Amino acid sequence: MSKDFENFKMTLRRIEKKWQEKWRKQEVFDAKPEPNKRKYFITVPYPYASGPLHIGHGRTYTTGDVIARYKRMKGYNVLFPMAFHITGTPIEGISARIRAGDEESIKRNRYYISLYEDDPETVDRILKSFENPRNVANYFSSVISSDFDALGFSITWKRRFTTGDPEYNAFITWQFKRLYELGHITTGTYPILYCLKEENAVGEDDILGGDEIKPEVMEYVGIKFKLNDNLYLVAATLRPETIFGVTNIWINPEGQYTLAKVNGERWIISKDSIIKIERQGYKVEVVEEFSGWKLIGKYTDVPGSDRKVPILPGPFVDTDEATGVVYSVPAHAPYDYAALVDIKRNPGEYGVKKEIVEMLEPIPIIRIEGYGIYPAKDACEKYGVKSQLEKDKLEKATEQVYKDEYYSGVLTVGPFKDWRVSDVKPKVVEWLEGMGRAVKIYEVSALKKPVVCRCGGKVIVAVLENQWFIDYSREDWKNKAREALRNMAIIPEAYRRLFEDTIEWLDKRPCARRRGIGTPLPMDKRWIIESLSDSTIYMAFYTVIHRIRGRIPPEKLSPSFWDYAFLGKGDVERIAEEVGVTVKELEEIRNEFEYWYPVDQRHTAIPHITNHLTFFIFHHVALFPREKWPKMITLNELVIREGSKMSKSKGNVIPLVEVPRRYSADWYRLYIISQADLNTVTDWREKNVMTVGKKLRRFWQIMQFEGNKNSSKNVLDRWIISRVNRMIEKVTECYERFKLREAVVEAFFNMLNDVEAYLKYGSANVDTFSYIKDRWIRVMAPVIPHIAEEIWEKLGNKSFISLENWPEPETELIDGNVEKAYATVLQV
Ligand SMILES: [Zn+2]
C-alpha cells in the first residue's frame, strides 16, 4: 500500500472521530416529536449482547443507517433507536461455562475482550467479571454500542434499554396478559426441541447456528414389523403409504441396537433412540443390547399382508435418526434402490447369503406420469447415481421423486388403490393404528446435523406436559396477520411469499422455559418468557422508555398504565395518580407513542423472516388497532468472505471493531452498500475493498479542488450540470425504491467518471465546480457521512450536513441533447 494511501486512511480516521464526537456532544440524532413535521420510525434488530458483531451484521445495520440518514435529509423527523437483547439462556450459559473453567469458552471470551482491550490485566479482570451474567450483557452491549458509534450510525441512544430491565419486564408482562386474555396463549402436551444436558426446552436461539440450520420438530410414523410373538422391529418413515412396496428392512450392521420393553410390548430399536422415545412419553425398560449383525438375515412380517421380508445390512442407516430401523421401498425410494442394486451385485461384501437377495425385486405401488414402472430407478439414472455412497446425487433424486409422487402419484395396489398420494397418508396411518402397528415418533429435522445446544448438549424432541404456547394456529389471528401483510410493503418483494407461507404453517409454539434471563410468565411465574416471544413488539417500547425510566418505579408499571400508553384506554387521572406522575406527564407518554407509531420501516436480514418478522406481524395485529400495524419490512442478504461462508471455526470472521482500524467507517460503508443489491449475498473481497478505497481517495482529492477562477464556461459546463441533476433525479428514485446499490453506483462511481471527464476536458470553472460539490456531497452524505461533514464544513457551512436538505433536481438544467452529444466523447 502506498504512503499516500496510508496518509489518506489516517486522515479518514481522524475526521471520523472528530464528527462522531460532534454528533454526540450536540445530540444531533436525538428525536423528539414535532407535530408539524412528518415522522419516520425505522428500526433494525436489537443485537444479542453475548459477543461482538462482525462485518456481516454490519451490513444490516449500515443499510438501516443509510436509509435513516436519507430520510432525515428528505425532511422527515427520524427515530432510529437501539437496544440490546439479553433474554434466555445463552448469556447465563457463558457465565456458567466460565465459572466451571471451560477452556474453550474462556479462550473465546478472552479473544472477544482482547479485541477491545490491550492491557492483559484488564482483559483478565473483565473475563473474571463474566462469572456474573449481568456483566457479560453489560460488557457486550457497551462494546457493540461503541462499534456502532465508530461506524457513524445516526442512532439516538436516549431510548436504549436491555430486555432484562425491570421496565421492559413490566412491558412484557402487559403483553402476555393481553395475549392470554385474547386466548392466544394456551397450555398442553406437545413435542418440543429439548436439550438433554440441561433437561430443558430449547428454541432456535439456544441452538448452535440455529437461525441457519432451522431446527424443527418432525413427526415420523413408527411401523411395527413383527419378528415373532410380541417382538417388533419398529421402522420409522415419513411416507407410511409406501408400506405396500416394502421388500426388506435395513439395519446398520455396525450399529448398536436394543431390545426393550416399551409400554408392555417388546421392541427392537437403535440404542440411540431409547432416550428419545423415553422423553416422548413411552415407558421404556432396556432388556438387552447387541450389534446390528445379530438381526441380519432374519425375517419379519409386513403389516396387513401375509408376506415375509428379510432384514439386510444397510451401512447408510443412521442409528441416531428416529428408531435407526428403516424399511426398504426400492421402487420408489432412490436410496433403497441404489442399496438394493449394490447388495445384489455383491452380497458377499455385505455378509449376506446370495439366495436371500437374488429373489428381491422392487415392488411398484405408485403410478406417476413421466416415469416408468420404477420411479426410483428412473431418478437414479437421471442423476447418474452409481452407488449408495453418492449422497448428494441421491438427495436430489429423492427430493425429485418424493415431490412428484406427492403431487401427482396414485396408489396402484392394496386397500387404498386409486387414492392420490397427497390425500392417503392419514388414511394409511389410521389403518395401521387399527391393527396396532403404528406409533408416533418425533425427531429433530434440520438443514445440517447434528443439532447441538449452545451448552454443548444434544438436542432431541421431547413430549412434555403442561407446556405454555403461543397458539398461532387460530384462523381469526392468521386472517388479521394475512391482512396486515397484504397492506405492508415487503422489499425485496420476492420475499413476500415466504412470509405468506410462514403465516400458513405457524402452529402452537412454546413461549416459555424454566430458566434464563427474562420476564416471568404472568400466569405461572415459574416460567420465563423465551427470547423469540419477548422480542415481537419492542419497537413500541422505544417510543416511551426515556419518559418512564427514572420517573416511574417499575413496580408501578401496571397493565392499566400500558393500556393507557399504547391503547388510550382507561381514566387518565386515575392512572396518573396510581403510577405517581402528573396527568401532563402521562399524556406526554401517550403522545410519544401516538406520534411515532406505527413503525414505518423495519430493516433486517432474511433469516429472520420465519421467526422474528412473522411474530412481529402476528403480535402487532393482536395487540394494536389497524392504524398502528407496521407499514414496511425491508431485508438484506448475508455477507460471505472471499467466496466462503464466514464462521468461527474457519477463523475468517472480521469483527466489526476491526473495521475502523483496518479500513475506515466511510470506506466500509461505501463498500458494503455498493457491492450488492439487498437480495444478493455480498462477497467481501479484499481486492475490491481496495479498489473502492482508492476511488474514495480520488473523490476526496477532487473535493479539495476549488476550481479555476479565470476559466470561462463552455458547453461542457452545461453538460456536467445536466449530469449532476440527472444523477440527483436517478439517485432519489433509487433511494425511494431502496435500490441502494444502484443509488451508490450512480451517485459515486458514475458521477466520479463524469467529474473526471469534466476536469480533463472542461473548464473546471469555479462556479460550476462549487455547484457540483454542493449537490454531490449532499447526495453522498448518507453513505459517507463523516467525509461529507468535513467537506461541508470546508465549503463554509456552519450546519451539519446530516441535518441538511437532500438536493432537489433542477430538471430545467437537464439537457438530453448535450448529454447525448458528449456521451461517447467523454469516456475516461
Ligand atoms: Zn443445553
Side-chain angles (χ1 to χ4, degrees):
M1 210 180 299
S2 73
K3 187 113 194 306
D4 278 358
F5 194 80
E6 277 301 318
N7 287 339
F8 170 62
K9 265 200 325 200
M10 301 313 284
T11 307
L12 281 189
R13 289 172 198 167
R14 184 178 49 74
I15 292 172
E16 287 170 2
K17 286 219 172 70
K18 168 183 161 185
W19 288 99
Q20 284 157 17
E21 185 68 13
K22 281 180 186 269
W23 292 332
R24 192 180 57 77
K25 273 199 177 143
Q26 300 189 38
E27 300 183 340
V28 170
F29 304 118
D30 207 14
K32 296 188 186 74
E34 292 177 52
N36 300 321
K37 211 169 163 189
R38 290 179 303 173
K39 64 93 186 179
Y40 201 81
F41 184 14
I42 173 169
T43 66
V44 285
Y46 49 14
Y48 205 87
S50 60
L53 304 184
H54 60 65
I55 53 170
H57 303 108
R59 178 179 183 188
T60 306
Y61 292 106
T62 304
T63 303
D65 183 61
V66 167
I67 295 164
R69 285 178 171 278
Y70 167 75
K71 290 288 178 183
R72 213 175 272 120
M73 293 182 76
K74 283 295 279 184
Y76 288 91
N77 186 14
V78 172
L79 176 58
F80 183 50
M82 189 68 66
F84 293 93
H85 201 192
I86 66 170
T87 304
T89 51
I91 288 173
E92 282 188 339
I94 292 170
S95 293
R97 285 193 296 280
I98 288 176
R99 282 199 304 271
D102 176 74
E103 273 177 39
E104 201 198 314
S105 189
I106 289 174
K107 196 177 144 206
R108 181 178 323 122
N109 283 285
R110 188 188 295 284
Y111 163 70
Y112 287 163
I113 299 165
S114 57
L115 288 170
Y116 296 91
E117 317 289 341
D118 294 329
D119 173 31
E121 270 176 39
T122 310
V123 174
D124 280 342
R125 186 175 47 75
I126 295 169
L127 186 63
K128 176 82 183 148
S129 80
F130 277 15
E131 292 183 6
N132 178 344
R134 285 287 155 165
N135 293 333
V136 177
N138 288 342
Y139 185 74
F140 287 122
S141 53
S142 134
V143 297
I144 292 169
S145 61
S146 64
D147 289 349
F148 286 173
D149 286 341
L151 290 173
F153 295 163
S154 59
I155 294 165
T156 170
W157 286 111
K158 283 223 173 120
R159 298 158 191 255
R160 169 190 178 144
F161 60 86
T162 80
T163 58
D165 295 351
E167 295 86 357
Y168 194 78
N169 298 149
F171 161 67
I172 296 297
T173 302
W174 167 77
Q175 182 189 344
F176 273 74
K177 278 194 167 159
R178 292 279 302 159
L179 289 173
Y180 187 63
E181 284 160 15
L182 292 165
H184 293 319
I185 296 184
T186 58
T187 57
T189 301
Y190 207 69
I192 49 168
L193 298 175
Y194 188 85
C195 167
L196 276 176
K197 192 169 160 193
E198 294 170 294
E199 293 289 353
N200 202 346
V202 289
E204 211 178 277
D205 281 2
D206 299 309
I207 288 167
L208 285 175
D211 57 344
E212 284 165 29
I213 65 171
K214 301 276 169 212
E216 276 167 25
V217 172
M218 185 156 64
E219 186 183 315
Y220 276 93
V221 181
I223 300 185
K224 297 193 275 183
F225 291 79
K226 195 183 267 187
L227 274 154
N228 57 49
D229 283 346
N230 196 26
L231 178 61
Y232 298 101
L233 193 55
V234 183
T237 182
L238 296 168
R239 304 184 68 200
E241 68 279 7
T242 59
I243 184 71
F244 308 108
V246 56
T247 58
N248 62 282
I249 307 282
W250 299 117
I251 287 285
N252 187 329
E254 307 293 344
Q256 283 295 303
Y257 287 84
T258 301
L259 168 62
K261 274 193 192 157
V262 178
N263 291 358
E265 293 174 347
R266 296 195 313 146
W267 287 13
I268 291 174
I269 51 179
S270 72
K271 188 182 170 199
D272 292 327
S273 61
I274 291 288
I275 188 139
K276 300 180 199 172
I277 65 161
E278 226 170 40
R279 291 296 189 282
Q280 289 171 16
Y282 292 91
K283 207 172 159 306
V284 183
E285 198 185 310
V286 171
V287 178
E288 192 190 351
E289 280 174 15
F290 42 82
S291 97
W293 282 116
K294 196 176 157 189
L295 298 165
I296 306 301
K298 293 189 176 358
Y299 281 79
T300 74
D301 80 339
V302 175
S305 84
D306 46 20
R307 292 198 295 125
K308 291 263 181 194
V309 294
I311 301 173
L312 297 178
F316 58 89
V317 173
D318 180 357
T319 55
D320 201 9
E321 180 72 20
T323 59
V325 178
V326 175
Y327 71 77
S328 173
V329 189
H332 301 284
Y335 271 103
D336 295 337
Y337 180 79
L340 185 64
V341 170
D342 284 352
I343 204 167
K344 284 179 74 158
R345 194 186 295 141
N346 201 346
E349 191 185 319
Y350 291 88
V352 256
K353 292 197 191 93
K354 191 165 167 247
E355 55 268 31
I356 296 185
V357 291
E358 71 183 351
M359 302 302 286
L360 292 182
E361 287 301 331
I363 303 171
I365 58 157
I366 295 167
R367 183 179 65 236
I368 23 171
E369 293 255 339
Y371 284 88
I373 186 163
Y374 303 132
K377 178 172 182 257
D378 295 351
C380 281
E381 282 165 7
K382 183 178 164 197
Y383 288 94
V385 175
K386 298 274 183 313
S387 91
Q388 59 182 298
L389 300 175
E390 296 185 302
K391 273 195 125 178
D392 290 348
K393 290 179 184 171
L394 279 164
E395 280 301 322
K396 284 188 191 131
T398 301
E399 196 182 312
Q400 180 87 56
V401 172
Y402 282 18
K403 207 174 83 198
D404 290 343
E405 293 194 340
Y406 183 81
Y407 288 110
S408 54
V410 175
L411 281 180
T412 56
V413 297
F416 302 98
K417 189 168 181 285
D418 297 328
W419 277 70
R420 300 176 66 86
V421 172
S422 55
D423 304 331
V424 79
K425 182 174 161 180
K427 291 279 157 199
V428 175
V429 173
E430 207 174 283
W431 174 73
L432 287 165
E433 280 172 345
M435 295 184 288
R437 291 300 193 96
V439 291
K440 271 182 195 155
I441 307 270
Y442 296 100
E443 183 56 276
V444 185
S445 85
L447 298 176
K448 211 176 130 208
K449 285 200 159 188
V451 178
V452 180
C453 177
R454 286 184 196 272
C455 80
K458 179 173 179 173
V459 174
I460 62 155
V461 178
V463 176
L464 298 187
E465 293 173 344
N466 303 317
Q467 294 285 300
W468 287 93
F469 304 100
I470 298 177
D471 185 358
Y472 294 107
S473 70
R474 266 175 44 186
E475 265 314 290
D476 55 342
W477 200 4
K478 282 186 194 282
N479 270 334
K480 281 170 107 180
R482 291 177 189 121
E483 180 191 334
L485 180 64
R486 272 197 305 277
N487 293 315
M488 199 185 299
I490 302 292
I491 291 164
E493 172 69 25
Y495 293 116
R496 182 180 297 277
R497 181 67 200 275
L498 190 48
F499 280 98
E500 287 168 351
D501 289 349
T502 307
I503 291 174
E504 296 316 310
W505 61 249
L506 264 183
D507 196 348
K508 290 195 183 75
R509 200 181 165 281
C511 64
R513 312 262 170 73
R514 296 304 280 267
R515 43 173 296 238
I517 300 172
T519 308
L521 194 67
M523 293 76 80
D524 181 348
K525 300 213 163 144
R526 292 171 305 169
W527 295 83
I528 304 291
I529 295 161
E530 62 83 45
S531 63
L532 281 162
S533 302
D534 87 340
S535 54
T536 58
I537 56 161
Y538 63 90
M539 311 77 203
F541 195 67
Y542 281 127
T543 65
V544 294
I545 175 58
H546 61 304
R547 290 187 175 276
I548 293 172
R549 195 167 24 218
R551 289 195 209 177
I552 306 176
E555 64 275 12
K556 293 210 165 174
L557 296 170
S558 62
S560 56
F561 165 79
W562 299 105
D563 276 344
Y564 182 75
F566 293 147
L567 305 170
K569 279 188 190 164
D571 177 53
V572 64
E573 282 174 24
R574 185 181 55 77
I575 297 164
E577 198 184 314
E578 268 173 26
V579 300
V581 294
T582 64
V583 168
K584 184 166 173 282
E585 281 175 309
L586 186 56
E587 278 172 346
E588 273 169 4
I589 292 171
R590 169 80 185 137
N591 289 343
E592 279 254 5
F593 174 78
E594 275 289 286
Y595 179 78
W596 294 113
Y597 241 61
V599 174
D600 295 283
Q601 181 174 3
R602 179 160 185 207
H603 181 77
T604 183
I606 54 164
H608 292 163
I609 295 175
T610 54
N611 47 54
H612 284 292
L613 291 173
T614 306
F615 302 156
F616 164 71
I617 298 173
F618 267 96
H619 289 239
H620 271 91
V621 303
L623 297 165
F624 296 105
R626 278 181 175 72
E627 67 272 16
K628 300 296 182 200
W629 292 0
K631 292 168 88 168
M632 184 196 306
I633 292 172
T634 54
L635 301 137
N636 65 249
E637 260 285 358
L638 305 176
V639 177
I640 59 172
R641 189 173 170 204
E642 310 290 348
S644 55
K645 227 177 138 230
M646 284 191 291
S647 73
K648 271 184 224 156
S649 53
K650 281 188 198 143
N652 62 348
V653 176
I654 304 179
L656 218 46
V657 65
E658 295 281 331
V659 167
R661 298 178 191 161
R662 287 197 208 178
Y663 315 98
S664 98
D666 280 354
W667 181 5
Y668 169 79
R669 297 170 62 106
L670 178 62
Y671 177 76
I672 208 81
I673 298 296
S674 65
Q675 288 307 295
D677 291 322
L678 293 180
N679 60 351
T680 309
V681 171
T682 297
D683 186 1
W684 179 279
R685 291 194 179 260
E686 215 55 43
K687 203 174 131 242
N688 300 345
V689 177
M690 272 316 296
T691 308
V692 169
K694 284 179 183 155
K695 297 252 179 202
L696 186 60
R697 182 178 56 153
R698 184 62 191 141
F699 173 82
W700 173 253
Q701 288 166 340
I702 289 174
M703 281 294 179
Q704 310 304 313
F705 179 55
E706 292 190 347
N708 291 331
K709 290 211 174 70
N710 303 320
S711 69
S712 53
K713 293 186 192 175
N714 59 34
V715 65
L716 285 182
D717 293 88
R718 253 166 62 214
W719 173 78
I720 191 70
I721 299 267
S722 176
R723 295 296 296 159
V724 167
N725 282 293
R726 190 180 293 281
M727 179 273 287
I728 296 169
E729 199 175 56
K730 272 191 197 164
V731 172
T732 309
E733 199 205 318
C734 288
Y735 266 110
E736 291 299 325
R737 291 160 55 216
F738 302 99
K739 302 218 162 242
L740 303 191
R741 187 193 66 85
E742 223 177 298
V744 176
V745 168
E746 286 294 336
F748 185 75
F749 297 97
N750 293 350
M751 199 68 231
L752 192 61
N753 284 343
D754 285 348
V755 173
E756 294 274 29
Y758 172 69
L759 289 176
K760 192 168 174 192
Y761 302 109
S763 67
N765 175 273
V766 66
D767 295 337
T768 303
F769 213 66
S770 72
Y771 182 95
I772 296 171
K773 287 208 283 188
D774 174 86
R775 271 54 173 193
W776 197 11
I777 198 62
R778 280 189 278 157
V779 171
M780 286 308 297
V783 181
I784 48 170
H786 311 87
I787 294 178
E789 293 284 10
E790 183 73 11
I791 290 165
W792 190 244
E793 187 185 54
K794 279 199 175 143
L795 291 176
N797 298 293
K798 297 274 176 271
S799 58
F800 286 101
I801 197 168
S802 301
L803 304 178
E804 272 301 323
N805 289 330
W806 184 257
E808 288 293 324
E810 294 181 81
T811 45
E812 68 280 9
L813 298 177
I814 297 179
D815 188 335
N817 292 332
V818 172
E819 282 191 44
K820 230 182 256 157
Y822 288 88
T824 48
V825 184
L826 297 177
Q827 297 296 328
V828 270

